[in-house]
Amino acid sequence: QVQLVESGGGLVQAGGSLRLSCAASGSRLPIITMGWYRQAPGKQRELVATITGGGSPNYADSVKGRFTISRDNAKNTVYLQMNSLKPEDTAVYYCNAADARYRSSWGQGTQVTVSS
């Protein structure tokens, strides 16, 4: 099982920026895909962005042009740079990693709050 440790959440005003980090450890297999999901109160968890080992990103329409996902394979770390934040971006953000057998692991979540 992969252990994921997230950091970088917090409180920011609308229009501001935050950077999330997620470090993976403990995997015996290569980690194929890493990504970020979020869950707002009363809503289902939704995809924010994912990135493959080769660096191909995929974004939710709601964050395209504002968020950038990147990955350091040597450190097994994924980052999410969030710019032009909106109050509707407020949620708990979860890191996800899938290994070569497509087993999925989740981080504990980090709160992002955007005030208007």
Side-chain angles (χ1 to χ4, degrees), residues 1-4 23-29 31 95-99 101-107:
Q1 191 78 8
V2 178
Q3 289 80 47
L4 301 172
S25 62
S27 179
R28 297 183 178 181
L29 298 173
I31 296 174
C95 179
N96 177 268
D99 68 18
R101 290 184 180 176
Y102 299 100
R103 291 175 299 193
S104 184
S105 300
W106 294 92

Side-chain angles (χ1 to χ4, degrees), residues 13 15 33 46 60 87 94 103 111:
Q13 289 188 334
T33 301
E46 62 177 5
Y94 296 91
R103 291 175 299 193
Q111 178 70 45

Side-chain angles (χ1 to χ4, degrees), residues 62-108:
S62 59
V63 306
K64 282 180 181 177
R66 300 188 298 122
F67 291 9
T68 302
I69 190 169
S70 60
R71 179 171 173 173
D72 185 334
N73 289 330
K75 296 181 179 180
N76 268 341
T77 299
V78 63
Y79 307 95
L80 186 69
Q81 178 66 42
M82 304 185 292
N83 299 329
S84 302
L85 282 160
K86 304 175 181 179
E88 50 263 44
D89 294 319
T90 296
V92 178
Y93 283 69
Y94 296 91
C95 179
N96 177 268
D99 68 18
R101 290 184 180 176
Y102 299 100
R103 291 175 299 193
S104 184
S105 300
W106 294 92
Q108 78 284 358

Side-chain angles (χ1 to χ4, degrees), residues 12-54:
V12 65
Q13 289 188 334
S17 299
L18 283 174
R19 188 186 192 218
L20 305 183
S21 300
C22 173
S25 62
S27 179
R28 297 183 178 181
L29 298 173
I31 296 174
I32 302 303
T33 301
M34 299 187 77
W36 293 93
Y37 292 71
R38 67 187 181 188
Q39 188 166 17
K43 295 188 176 181
Q44 291 187 334
R45 191 173 297 189
E46 62 177 5
L47 177 143
V48 176
T50 60
I51 188 167
T52 66

